[in-house]
Amino acid sequence: MAENEEPSLIPQMRLDELLSELQVRLEAVLATRDRVHALLEAVVSVGSDLDLETVLRRIVETATTLVDASYGAMGVIGEDRTLIQFVPVGLSEEEIARIEHWPHGLGLLGLLIKDPRTLRLAHISDHPESYGFPPGHPPMGGFLGVPVRVRDEVFGNLYLTEKRGGGEFDEEDEAIVVALATAAGVAIENARLYEETRRRETWLEASSEVTTRLLSGAEPGEVLDLMARRAREMADADAVAVLLPGEEGGTLRVAIEDGPGPGPLTAGPVPVGASIEGRAYAGGEPVMVADPVGGEVTAVFAEELAMGAVAAVPIGAGDTVRGVLSLGKRHGRPPFGHAELRTLHAFAGQAALALELAETRRDAERLGLLEDRDRIAKDLHDVVIQRLFAVAMTLMGTVRLVERPEASTRLQSAIDELDNTIRQIRSTIFALQTPREAGPPGLRAGIVELVEGARGHLGFMPGLSMEGQLDNQVPEEIAGHLLAVLREALSNIVRHSGAGRAEVSARTDGGTLTLVVTDDGSGIPAGGRRSGLRNMRERAERLGGAFETEVPPGGGTRLTWSVPLP
C-alpha cells in the first residue's frame, strides 16, 4: 500500500501550489481594485471644490494617502520659471516653524522645473542634482516627483517623500500619482477658470461703483479710498496704500491706507528714487517684486507686516501719472501675476479720472466765482460809485448856495465822507477783480481779523478803512511786519489808553504801504515804557521806512507806520 500512496501526493502538492498562487493573484487583484477605487474616489474628491488653495492642498493630501507617503507638497511654478508657492502636507506647525526657508526651486526641484518628467528615487541624496535640505528640515529618503500639467502648460510639480514602513516608491505608485496628476490638472484648470470669472465679476462691480461715485460728484479722497479697498479685494492683497506727490520734492506721501488690524501699515514718506513705488510713478508702468528683502528695495509698508510680494501700479499713464497704488502680500503667498497688474492698472486709471474731474470741477467753480466777483465789481463801479459821485457833485454845488457857516461845514463833511466811501468802494472793486490765489489768508483778512478781535477787549468796534492793492502788492514779509505792528498798537489802546473810539487805516499809494492807528484816549504817558513803540520803529527802519507818533487835534494818539514797497 505504501508504494501506491506516493504517486497520489504529487497531485495534492501541485494543487496546493496552484491554490496558493491563485490566492496571491486574487489578493493582488483585490489590492489593485482597492487602489483603483481609492484613485477614483480621489479624482472625485479633488474635483469637488472650486477654490484653488483648497484644491491644491486636497491634491497633495490625496497623493500622500494613495502611495502611503509621509510628506508631500505642491510647488507652483511662476511665469519666470521659479517656485512662487509651496503647499506642504505632513509637517506639523512646530516643524514648519523650524524650517529656515521654503525651497527656492533649486536642486531636484529645479531639475523638475527645467525638465518636467516623472522622477523616482530610492534616496534623494544619491542624485547629483541634490542640494540637501535647508536648516530645520526633517530628513527624507525616497522621492517621487510628478509634473502637473494644465493643458500644455506645466502648472507645478507634485513632490512625495519618505514612504511609510521604510519601503521605496515602485512603478505602481508612480502610475497612481501620474493618473492623479492628470485629474489634478483638470481640477486646477476649473478652479482657475472659476477664480478668473469671479475676479472679472469683482472688477466689473468695482468699476461700476467707482464710475457711479465719479458721476455723483464725490470728493477725490472718497473715490481713492473706494478704489484702494476694491483693489485690495480684487488682488487678494493683505495691505494697500495710495501714494500722492509729497510736499517735499522727490518723495511720495501716503494719502490712504487699508489693511489688517489696527497696527502700523506704512512706513511714512517714500523716496521716488529708491523705491518700486517711485519707479512706477516715474515710469508710468506697473512694477512688481516677489520679495523685497533688506535694503534692495524700499517699499511703503512697515516692516512689522512682513510683506513678501509688493506691486506698485501708477494712477494714470504717461505724463499724467498722479500717484501710485501700492499693494502687498505677506511672505509665503503667491505673487501678483502680470494679468492682475494689467487689470489693476486699468482700474487705477479710473482714480486718475477722479482726480482730473475734481480739478476740472474746482476750476469750474472758481471760474463761476470769478465771474460773480467781476459782475459785482462792475455793478459797484457802474452804478453805486456813479450815483455816489453824482450826489457828491450836487452837494459841492450846494455848498456855494448855503449862507450859514454851520450848514456849509456840515455839507463839506458829508462830501468828505462820500469821497472816503468812494475810495473804499474802489479798493473793494480792485480786490474783487484781482482775487488772491488759493493759499493762506491775505493781508486784508489779517487786518480784519485783528480789528474784530480787539472789539471784545475795547468794548466797541474800531473803525477800519483799507485802500489799494493790499493783497496783491504787499509781499508776505512786509505784510507780516504790518500785522505785528497793528497787533501791538491795538494792544496798547486796550491796556493803556482808556479810549472810547479808535480808527485803523491801511493803504498802498505810490509804492508806499502806510498804516495809521488813531484813538481818543489819554495819549502816550511821559516816562512810560516804550518797548512796544521801539519795536514798531525798528520794524519800519529795518524795511527802510519810518514810524512816528503824534497827538491829533482832538487829543489821544496817532501812530503812523510806513514802508516802501518793492
Side-chain angles (χ1 to χ4, degrees):
M1 290 295 294
E3 294 179 357
N4 295 333
E5 289 177 356
E6 288 181 3
S8 64
L9 292 175
I10 296 175
Q12 182 67 35
M13 292 174 63
R14 289 179 177 175
L15 180 60
D16 291 340
E17 291 175 359
L18 290 174
L19 289 174
S20 297
E21 184 178 354
L22 179 61
Q23 183 177 0
V24 170
R25 293 189 177 185
L26 285 174
E27 289 176 353
V29 169
L30 291 174
T32 303
R33 184 200 64 181
D34 292 341
R35 296 195 75 176
V36 169
H37 284 172
L39 176 61
L40 292 175
E41 291 177 358
V43 169
V44 174
S45 174
V46 165
S48 63
D49 204 293
L50 290 175
D51 179 70
L52 185 58
E53 296 281 343
T54 304
V55 169
L56 295 180
R57 180 163 294 278
R58 188 169 292 175
I59 290 171
V60 182
E61 291 173 345
T62 304
T64 56
T65 302
L66 286 174
V67 299
D68 204 23
S70 300
Y71 307 105
M74 172 70 78
V76 181
I77 302 174
E79 297 174 357
D80 55 353
R81 308 300 296 168
T82 59
L83 286 180
I84 61 172
Q85 188 178 5
F86 201 75
V87 183
V89 167
L91 296 171
S92 65
E93 294 294 332
E94 292 77 12
E95 289 175 318
I96 292 176
R98 285 197 298 267
I99 298 176
E100 186 174 290
H101 62 80
W102 288 121
H104 296 307
L106 305 174
L108 287 178
L109 305 191
L111 176 62
L112 282 171
I113 294 173
K114 292 182 291 185
D115 186 14
R117 290 185 295 179
T118 301
L119 181 63
R120 178 162 51 91
L121 301 170
H123 299 286
I124 296 177
S125 58
D126 293 341
H127 197 279
E129 293 284 342
S130 178
Y131 273 31
F133 301 102
H137 199 287
M140 295 181 180
F143 176 83
L144 178 59
V146 178
V148 177
R149 288 180 168 85
V150 177
R151 297 186 181 274
D152 296 330
E153 170 196 358
V154 178
F155 174 82
N157 290 298
L158 187 57
Y159 310 114
L160 301 164
T161 61
E162 202 68 15
K163 192 176 180 70
R164 289 187 176 89
E168 299 179 5
F169 296 109
D170 54 24
E171 293 182 359
E172 188 175 344
D173 293 330
E174 180 179 330
I176 289 287
V177 177
V178 169
L180 177 65
T182 303
V186 176
I188 290 171
E189 182 180 23
N190 290 338
R192 290 171 70 179
L193 290 174
Y194 173 74
E195 190 177 77
E196 181 66 23
T197 301
R198 188 173 58 181
R199 185 184 295 114
R200 289 181 181 274
E201 289 179 356
T202 304
W203 183 81
L204 289 174
E205 291 176 1
S207 297
S208 176
E209 190 173 358
V210 170
T211 301
T212 301
R213 295 287 182 88
L214 287 174
L215 295 177
S216 64
E219 290 296 320
E222 181 183 346
V223 177
L224 289 175
D225 182 67
L226 173 63
M227 180 206 65
R229 287 188 289 104
R230 291 302 233 160
R232 182 186 169 203
E233 294 172 6
M234 287 192 300
D236 193 23
D238 293 306
V240 64
V242 175
L243 295 92
L244 300 177
E247 297 180 359
E248 301 179 2
T251 62
L252 297 171
R253 63 178 178 86
V254 178
I256 294 171
E257 59 182 39
D258 182 56
L265 292 181
T266 56
V270 175
V272 172
S275 64
I276 63 170
E277 291 82 10
R279 286 163 52 193
Y281 179 76
E285 293 293 334
V287 180
M288 193 272 290
V289 292
D291 190 11
V293 179
E296 180 183 356
V297 178
T298 302
V300 66
F301 298 107
E303 293 183 3
E304 291 82 354
L305 293 180
M307 286 297 170
V310 176
V313 181
I315 300 175
D319 297 332
T320 60
V321 176
R322 299 175 178 272
V324 177
L325 175 69
S326 186
L327 304 103
K329 291 184 179 182
R330 293 188 185 278
H331 279 293
R333 299 198 58 204
F336 303 94
H338 293 297
E340 280 183 312
L341 292 183
R342 288 194 296 269
T343 301
L344 289 169
H345 193 192
F347 183 63
Q350 290 190 316
L353 178 61
L355 296 175
E356 186 173 348
L357 285 177
E359 289 181 3
T360 303
R361 191 180 300 117
R362 283 196 298 267
D363 290 342
E365 292 174 354
R366 181 171 176 77
L367 180 59
L369 177 62
L370 292 177
E371 290 176 348
D372 287 342
R373 292 167 71 106
D374 189 58
R375 177 181 54 79
I376 294 171
K378 288 180 178 179
D379 288 345
L380 288 173
H381 182 272
D382 297 341
V383 179
V384 178
I385 284 184
Q386 295 303 323
R387 291 186 176 181
L388 290 175
F389 188 74
V391 171
M393 292 297 292
T394 301
L395 292 177
M396 289 176 65
T398 306
V399 169
R400 294 191 297 268
L401 303 178
V402 177
E403 297 180 354
R404 295 181 59 185
E406 298 86 354
S408 178
T409 301
R410 289 184 179 181
L411 282 175
Q412 188 60 50
S413 176
I415 293 170
D416 293 341
E417 287 294 328
L418 284 173
D419 188 52
N420 288 333
T421 302
I422 290 172
R423 286 200 301 271
Q424 286 287 318
I425 293 176
R426 282 177 175 165
S427 178
T428 302
I429 291 172
F430 184 83
L432 287 171
Q433 291 178 331
T434 57
R436 190 180 182 90
E437 295 297 326
L443 179 56
R444 286 175 174 271
I447 294 173
V448 171
E449 182 179 358
L450 288 176
V451 172
E452 289 185 346
R455 175 169 57 178
H457 301 286
L458 292 171
F460 60 88
M461 180 66 184
L464 175 62
S465 67
M466 294 183 287
E467 300 179 28
Q469 307 177 37
L470 293 174
D471 278 344
N472 298 82
Q473 190 176 353
V474 180
E476 185 176 347
E477 180 185 1
I478 297 178
H481 284 290
L482 183 141
L483 292 176
V485 170
L486 177 58
R487 186 180 297 108
E488 180 67 27
L490 292 174
S491 176
N492 288 341
I493 295 174
V494 171
R495 290 181 298 168
H496 307 302
S497 72
R501 183 177 61 84
E503 298 285 341
V504 176
S505 171
R507 67 178 184 274
T508 59
D509 182 22
T512 302
L513 172 65
T514 303
L515 172 68
V516 179
V517 181
T518 307
D519 68 80
D520 63 351
S522 58
I524 301 174
R529 294 181 59 188
R530 298 176 180 270
S531 58
L533 299 177
R534 185 171 57 252
N535 290 337
M536 297 180 196
R537 177 172 289 102
E538 289 176 354
R539 288 180 182 273
E541 292 174 349
R542 196 181 310 160
L543 298 172
F547 173 74
E548 60 181 24
T549 62
E550 59 181 321
V551 179
T557 305
R558 178 185 290 127
L559 307 179
T560 304
W561 187 88
S562 62
V563 295
L565 294 174

